[in-house]
Amino acid sequence: MKKVVHRNSTSRILGIGLALMLMFSTSLFAQDGDPAKGKQLFNTNCAACHNLDRKMTGPALRGVGDKYEKQWLYDWIHNSAAMVKAGDPQAVAVFDEYNGSPMTAFPQLSEEDIDNIIAYTMEPKPEPTEAVATAVDAGAAGGSSGFSNDVILAALVLVFGVLVVMLYLVNKTLKRIAEANGIEFEKAEKRLPIWKAFVKNQFLVLVSSIALLLIGAYFAYGYMMQIGVDQGYMPVQPIHFSHKIHAGDNQIDCKYCHSSARVSKTSGIPSLNVCMNCHKNVMEYTGEEDLANGYTKDFYTGEIQKLYKAVGWDVTAQQYTGETEPVKWVRIHNLPDFVYFNHSQHVSVAGLECQKCHGPVEEMEVLYQYSPLTMGWCIECHRETNVKMEGNEYYEKIHEELSKKYGVEKLTAAQMGGLECGKCHY
């Protein structure tokens, strides 16, 4: 039997083996790190200075695993300062590019943790959702419903008009038939006009006059009592600020922004520097949308850009330009000049929650005046609210004396002098 020589068998075997090795190594690389765990680690340790797709205090990190060797990333994350001091070219280049800003060392992160973070940064950028298209579709659906209702209403009006015309024609035809048959219609006697009859009846005139005076006085009193009462006032602000997102979804304490409410008469308008404490890093909105009211992600992100313009923040260069613009906020809660109100007395001493006067702020997309802020409203609160004594040594002695006087265990703010004129009026 003649032996067949396979001259290319060796090269084929080597090619198949190389392909298998590449496939195996690729699968191992793909499984190297858990993106879900990496996202959690990234948000905890990295998000303050880094974004996946935007330059912040540090560089954008999407695809960082392709830019640097893994061992270099281990060393850099564990102790970047040591690498810069040792003169590592790549470390020095990054250090110089970001104006000598040192990166925080993370020696507590294991190599597995870093692998998870790298796996998260290597994920492809998600495609933007078609929020606008969804809103348009919803609007179109609503519009079609409105169109059908309009058609039904128009049809009903048309039917009613046809019926009126038919009744008129029938009545006219019957009259002609009656006249043709010699039937005469009784002519109605002329009656005294209603207004003349009313004028001649002096009792009705007197009763009506008294009723009109009382009704007019009632409405005049109601109108005058609403002068200066702006309950429900909801102005449009130059920069849309959602208390629902900040105080509700993100659970930011009211006194973080309105810090002077603890120690001052007024709660104060937060400076834009307070906003930038967070928004230096939070450059776009990624939360839930309210498409029905037009509050999309693009809308919220656009409002953040207004903030940057006002403070003169250059997102690309990550530095202030010095070109600022004042934000003309519209005041919502405003008391008359002769009224004295101290926030610290109520917030720090009385321990009241902001919602007691301002309502469910954490649910308000657009802030409005929740309470009437009238004198009667304040007095009613003073009559119902007990004085907080826990940890409040200032009131102990007077509380003890007045408790004996009124024969109660707990005093209300009114019993402590909260109804005295000089407490609230200059």
Side-chain angles (χ1 to χ4, degrees), residues 195-228:
W195 68 272
K196 286 186 178 181
F198 176 78
V199 170
K200 288 184 176 182
N201 192 324
Q202 295 182 355
F203 176 76
L204 284 178
V205 171
L206 178 62
V207 172
S208 300
S209 301
I210 294 174
L212 287 173
L213 286 173
L214 291 176
I215 293 172
Y218 172 79
F219 283 106
Y221 175 79
Y223 172 78
M224 288 186 288
M225 288 301 294
Q226 292 302 314
I227 295 175

Side-chain angles (χ1 to χ4, degrees), residues 156-171:
L156 290 174
V157 171
L158 180 63
V159 170
F160 181 75
V162 170
L163 288 174
V164 170
V165 173
M166 289 177 64
L167 287 173
Y168 173 77
L169 294 176
V170 168
N171 184 42

Side-chain angles (χ1 to χ4, degrees), residues 143-156:
S144 62
S145 176
F147 177 75
S148 61
N149 291 336
D150 293 340
V151 171
I152 294 172
L153 182 61
L156 290 174

